Amino acid sequence: MNDFPRWKSVLVIVVLALGVLYGVPNLFVQQPAVQVVANRGATVDEALKERVQGELEKRKIAFDAIELTAGHLLVRLPVGASEEQTKAVEDLKQSLGDQYTVAPNLASTVPGWMRAIGAREMPKGLDLQGGVHFLMEVDDKEVIEKQYQRYADDIRSVLRDKNIRYQSVGRGPQGLVVQLRSAEDRDAALSAIRIGVPDLSVSNGAQVGEAYTLNGSVKPEKIREIALNTVRQNQATLANRINALGVAEPLIQQQGDSRIAVELPGVQDTAEAKKILGATATLEYHAVDENANALEAAKGGIVPPDDKLYYRRELGPGGQKVPVLLKKKIIVSGDEMVDASSAPDPQTGTPAVSVSLNAVGGRKMLEFTSQNVGKPMAVVYIERTPETKIVDGKEVRSTKVTEEVISVANIRGVFSNKFSTTGLGSNKEASDLALMLRSGSLAAPVDIVEERVIGPSLGADNIKKGVFAVLIGLGAVLVFMALYYWVFGLIADIALFFNLVLLLAIMSAIGVTLTMPGIAGIVLTLGMAIDANVLICERVREELRNGSTPLASIRAGYDKAWATILDANVTHLLAALALMTLGSGAIRGFGVTLFIGILTSMFTSVTVTHAITSFVHGGRKLKGLSIGSGYSNAGAA
């Protein structure tokens, strides 16, 4: 009789059907595509679609379709048209200009109904798809320097609140130097600063003339915290920047204390990638100098010492830039923001960014607005973009800094830590700016210290070799099992095939990136998966030798082999878990593949084979089992 529960049979059928459904998308070949994303001030709409279509038809570049989705435009090219893809990217870059980012991409050919239920092809890593690798070093010296400037402002604020007279607060060779008028003021300032600015280590300094000094330096643990947060914030910022490149599965991870590794599969334009990755943006709020004439300062070049000359983003009459004189002192900056979201301004309906400040920034804004109601305040947008120029035959790297006044408005009332910034060009620009501010407007400058480009042809060759290795490994195991264990071997072969299907399905569903180490993990999983079936077959053989009936031998074989299979796989799972949690990059990818493969092999090797065995042998009397030479007629009926 068949002792395998019916509900388990139904479970096996459902799981295998889902495995096939979610594994099939990996059979669809991706087609080359060109992605167009709008930069600041531009939009992606039907007009752009018609413009791109006209340009492609003019250049006689064949394309399958042009899709307009939220935020970008995708041009699908025929499969295998790699040369046409390169030509299309170059032509569209020239015709669209700097308003748009044009980048090569790979478009999925999986049917829409499959993608709607989450069935998609497995993303490929850099070694399989080709692309660029960058190792970037974060320069946190500038961040620490800005931190000292903020601490100097905080000290001045604390001393004013406590009515402590001081001569100056400035930057010294080892930190901050506070000069006071008397020993009593110095002692009072020492206590006040230690309480009001706890991140500083403050001590008495040498007397300079008639001035009594205090020396302040950032505590070492705070410096480490700043450096760590800077790297993390840069990681988040880089992730958002990469979205503009259209990279499906980028790898962004920290290496060491100050470096970030970035891998962009499918990207071949290193210049555009470096431009996108290195750019950072933030906001600064400044007071407007109403007592000076900005036009005269712009024409004569004479700017008051406490002011700085900026220009408005929008052009004035005649297409001329409109100058604005702002106070150098920053009221609050991007690093004092804790949250930012984009939403239309409730009064005007124009794009705006709602900003929330931390306690320090809120106190500064409250103090400023309390004293300046009715006066103008300006919002300055600052963007830093790395540039590479060839000077005298040598590559020279520099940073282009764009500073624009995006808004000048009168302060209508007192506010502190929550307010809105208007003056943005479009809803997308507001959304992008809010995203950058949320992800880390403190982003420090990054230098690319290493870069590598892996061509798509090398990636295709790696894929061929990887698939060949999987097929060779799978074929060898299938042949061995069929020849050595006969029908039971064929059942194990079926389960091993479904093990591969389930493994690929799960990796695709959860978005695991397939790499060469991942393929090695698949091959290893296939070899390890058959161990469980070998144990089961040998247990069944042992029961047959002891005189048990065929059905009783099958039942006992599975029951007695399960404990051994579980023990062996638990140790393997622990090893794979260690690789996943402690490893990084290729090691982690290998561990993830191995971990998933062990789980699927336990299911297919035991449950699936048991279900098939019960279906083949259950419901009838058996005189023997086809389980290898010498056992075909063993056991009693």
Side-chain angles (χ1 to χ4, degrees):
M1 60 176 295
N2 190 346
D3 62 343
F4 193 76
R6 183 171 297 177
W7 68 269
K8 283 189 178 181
S9 300
V10 175
L11 175 65
V12 168
I13 294 173
V14 171
V15 171
L16 296 184
L18 290 175
V20 172
L21 177 63
Y22 282 84
V24 162
N26 291 290
L27 299 178
F28 289 87
V29 179
Q30 291 179 316
Q31 62 182 141
V34 177
Q35 180 168 290
V36 181
V37 181
N39 292 331
R40 184 158 45 90
T43 57
V44 176
D45 51 17
E46 288 291 340
L48 175 64
K49 180 178 179 180
E50 294 178 1
R51 181 180 174 185
V52 169
Q53 182 174 345
E55 185 66 25
L56 294 175
E57 292 174 349
K58 176 183 176 182
R59 303 283 183 174
K60 296 182 179 180
I61 299 175
F63 61 92
D64 288 345
I66 300 179
E67 299 175 359
L68 187 64
T69 59
H72 69 274
L73 184 142
L74 189 70
V75 181
R76 291 178 176 266
L77 303 175
V79 175
S82 56
E83 294 183 0
E84 288 79 359
Q85 183 187 37
T86 303
K87 184 179 178 182
V89 170
E90 294 176 353
D91 291 342
L92 290 178
K93 278 185 178 180
Q94 293 179 358
S95 62
L96 298 181
D98 295 335
Q99 286 186 310
Y100 297 90
T101 296
V102 182
N105 201 350
L106 290 174
S108 173
T109 58
V110 177
W113 68 269
M114 281 190 171
R115 294 199 299 269
I117 62 174
R120 54 187 182 272
E121 67 269 44
M122 197 185 316
K124 299 178 183 64
L126 199 68
D127 50 358
L128 298 182
Q129 189 172 324
V132 295
H133 164 88
F134 295 115
L135 184 61
M136 316 180 79
E137 188 162 19
V138 180
D139 182 11
D140 55 8
K141 294 179 180 178
E142 181 176 330
V143 177
I144 295 176
E145 189 63 33
K146 286 185 177 180
Q147 195 74 27
Y148 270 116
Q149 295 177 7
R150 287 191 295 272
Y151 285 141
D153 292 337
D154 291 343
I155 289 174
R156 296 187 187 100
S157 178
V158 168
L159 295 180
R160 285 195 299 267
D161 292 342
K162 299 295 183 180
N163 294 319
I164 300 174
R165 297 175 301 169
Y166 66 93
Q167 291 182 352
S168 65
V169 180
R171 187 75 165 90
Q174 302 298 326
L176 296 176
V177 178
V178 183
Q179 293 188 347
L180 301 111
R181 300 178 184 275
S182 65
E184 292 78 10
D185 290 339
R186 181 188 62 187
D187 295 339
L190 180 62
S191 300
I193 294 173
R194 284 178 174 175
I195 296 174
V197 192
D199 293 335
L200 287 180
S201 177
V202 188
S203 61
N204 291 329
Q207 186 173 348
V208 180
E210 297 181 356
Y212 295 82
T213 63
L214 291 174
N215 295 326
S217 60
V218 182
K219 295 179 180 179
E221 58 270 18
K222 184 62 179 179
I223 291 180
R224 287 193 296 270
E225 179 185 344
I226 292 172
L228 181 61
N229 289 338
T230 300
V231 174
R232 289 175 177 173
Q233 289 169 348
N234 269 339
Q235 280 184 265
T237 302
L238 291 175
N240 293 324
R241 291 285 180 177
I242 289 170
N243 290 337
L245 290 173
V247 182
E249 290 295 329
L251 173 66
I252 307 171
Q253 63 182 15
Q254 182 178 348
Q255 286 192 358
D257 295 332
S258 61
R259 292 188 172 186
I260 300 174
V262 178
E263 292 186 356
L264 308 177
V267 175
Q268 300 294 321
D269 190 346
T270 58
E272 186 64 31
K274 286 190 285 187
K275 177 183 175 181
I276 294 294
L277 292 177
T280 58
T282 187
L283 295 179
E284 289 181 354
Y285 294 81
H286 295 258
V288 179
D289 189 349
E290 299 180 281
N291 300 320
N293 191 310
L295 287 174
E296 293 181 359
K299 292 179 181 179
I302 301 176
V303 180
D306 293 334
D307 292 354
K308 184 176 179 179
L309 184 64
Y310 293 89
Y311 290 90
R312 298 287 297 264
R313 169 177 293 179
E314 64 274 12
L315 299 178
Q320 300 295 321
K321 291 185 177 182
V322 180
V324 184
L325 276 177
L326 305 181
K327 293 293 183 180
K328 288 182 179 179
K329 182 180 179 181
I330 302 173
I331 304 169
V332 294
S333 58
D335 58 286
E336 292 167 321
M337 298 178 190
V338 295
D339 191 22
S341 59
S342 60
D345 183 71
Q347 296 185 353
T348 63
T350 58
V353 173
S354 178
V355 175
S356 297
L357 302 176
N358 59 20
V360 176
R363 186 173 69 245
K364 292 178 182 179
M365 186 62 75
L366 177 62
E367 180 182 353
F368 178 81
T369 56
S370 299
Q371 300 173 3
N372 295 276
V373 173
K375 296 181 179 180
M377 181 176 67
V379 185
V380 180
Y381 176 87
I382 303 173
E383 182 176 87
R384 293 177 175 85
T385 306
E387 289 185 326
T388 302
K389 298 180 180 179
I390 304 298
V391 179
D392 296 331
K394 296 182 179 180
E395 187 179 89
V396 178
R397 295 176 180 175
S398 60
T399 301
K400 177 184 177 183
V401 180
T402 302
E403 296 179 321
E404 298 176 322
V405 176
I406 62 174
S407 175
V408 176
N410 291 331
I411 300 172
R412 293 178 291 190
V414 178
F415 54 85
S416 58
N417 63 333
K418 289 188 177 182
F419 54 93
S420 294
T421 294
T422 58
L424 299 163
S426 64
N427 289 325
K428 183 180 185 303
E429 183 179 351
S431 176
D432 291 344
L433 179 58
L435 195 62
M436 283 187 287
L437 293 174
R438 283 200 308 270
S439 65
S441 56
L442 186 60
V446 290
D447 296 321
I448 298 176
V449 297
E450 177 185 307
E451 64 178 86
R452 297 196 307 270
V453 180
I454 299 176
S457 59
L458 179 60
D461 185 57
N462 287 338
I463 291 177
K464 291 180 181 178
K465 291 179 179 178
V467 172
F468 183 71
V470 172
L471 294 179
I472 289 295
L474 180 62
V477 173
L478 294 179
V479 171
F480 169 79
M481 290 299 293
L483 294 178
Y484 197 76
Y485 291 111
W486 299 2
V487 172
F488 273 73
L490 292 176
I491 293 173
D493 289 346
I494 296 173
L496 189 62
F497 171 76
F498 278 111
N499 180 32
L500 178 61
V501 172
L502 286 178
L503 175 58
L504 296 178
I506 294 175
M507 292 176 66
S508 301
I510 65 178
V512 176
T513 301
L514 182 64
T515 61
M516 284 299 289
I519 293 178
I522 293 175
V523 175
L524 179 60
T525 297
L526 295 178
M528 294 169 53
I530 211 66
D531 290 348
N533 294 114
V534 171
L535 287 173
I536 293 171
C537 290
E538 292 300 327
R539 280 290 189 179
V540 174
R541 281 181 167 188
E542 183 179 348
E543 294 298 321
L544 290 173
R545 284 196 299 267
N546 293 333
S548 299
T549 64
L551 290 179
S553 298
I554 294 174
R555 187 185 308 114
Y558 276 95
D559 292 341
K560 292 182 179 180
W562 169 244
T564 304
I565 295 171
L566 182 62
D567 290 342
N569 282 285
V570 165
T571 57
H572 293 156
L573 281 173
L574 292 176
L577 188 62
L579 294 176
M580 289 172 53
T581 56
L582 302 178
S584 61
I587 295 177
R588 185 176 183 274
F590 177 80
V592 170
T593 305
L594 189 61
F595 186 86
I596 298 173
I598 293 171
L599 294 179
T600 57
S601 66
M602 290 176 65
F603 175 76
T604 56
S605 299
V606 179
T607 306
V608 173
T609 59
H610 199 174
I612 299 175
T613 301
S614 297
F615 175 78
V616 172
H617 298 99
R620 59 191 178 91
K621 289 187 176 182
L622 300 174
K623 294 183 179 180
L625 295 176
S626 179
I627 195 171
S629 179
Y631 294 90
S632 59
N633 295 314

